[in-house]
Amino acid sequence: SSKLPYIPRDNISRVIKGNDLFVRASKRAYLFLEKFHISEKDVEKILDFVDSTYEKKGFVSLSDIPLGNITEENDELTLPVIRDAIYKKILSRKYQLNQGNILTKESSKQNVISLLKNYIAEKEICSFDEITNKVRGLTGVEDRRYAFQVLYDEMVRIDTNRFVSTTLVDFNVGEIDE
């Protein structure tokens, strides 16, 4: 913005945020995708991995993508910025990024919440730690909000760390009302 003194900083930020040639790196800092280093070999590996994983599972977690030498070649960037750059530069033409770094083809309702609900659907007992580990596996970060939402929507908490299926709990409405 110092090189464009007559253009308000907010206008510059708005244009950059809406432009697919940039990835947000931090507050008021953006990566210009032309400066993102990735070899053709790594591009092929990523595309092969994503295509084959999608065929098997019906989704791909952005955090599962093999990074090869990409982190070393872009050592000034954080892992989330690298993943966002890979998505925008390589995968966005073919895949849709859904909530929680889940890649699907076309728009999909499949996201971290739906995948976690599918994961616990057949479980009778589940720990909070187990679900937070699953969240970390899907998103690459520990986001307790996803774990809490799914566990409280689908199960009943029985102690600090354990939840059980609602099929194991019998609430006698008459006795509770008394």
Side-chain angles (χ1 to χ4, degrees), residues 43-58:
V43 169
E44 285 180 36
K45 282 182 184 177
I46 289 170
L47 287 171
D48 288 344
F49 173 82
V50 171
D51 289 341
S52 65
T53 303
Y54 184 82
E55 289 302 315
K56 290 176 196 166
K57 294 180 167 182

Side-chain angles (χ1 to χ4, degrees), residues 31-98:
L31 166 66
F32 180 47
L33 283 178
E34 295 296 320
K35 301 293 183 183
F36 181 64
H37 304 286
I38 185 167
S39 69
E40 285 301 316
K41 185 178 178 182
D42 283 332
V43 169
E44 285 180 36
K45 282 182 184 177
I46 289 170
L47 287 171
D48 288 344
F49 173 82
V50 171
D51 289 341
S52 65
T53 303
Y54 184 82
E55 289 302 315
K56 290 176 196 166
K57 294 180 167 182
F59 74 94
V60 181
S61 173
L62 201 54
S63 62
D64 290 341
I65 291 175
L67 299 178
N69 295 324
I70 299 169
T71 52
E72 289 84 20
E73 293 172 6
N74 297 279
D75 61 349
E76 71 281 1
L77 301 175
T78 64
L79 206 49
V81 174
I82 289 172
R83 288 182 180 134
D84 287 347
I86 289 170
Y87 171 71
K88 278 195 172 181
K89 192 166 187 169
I90 302 167
L91 301 170
S92 63
R93 287 177 230 107
K94 190 172 182 181
Y95 292 93
Q96 176 82 30
L97 185 61
N98 297 298

Side-chain angles (χ1 to χ4, degrees), residues 113-130:
I113 298 295
S114 65
L115 293 171
L116 290 172
K117 284 183 178 184
N118 289 341
Y119 176 74
I120 66 170
E122 301 299 318
K123 292 186 169 288
E124 289 187 337
I125 298 174
C126 188
S127 73
F128 183 78
D129 294 337
E130 180 182 350

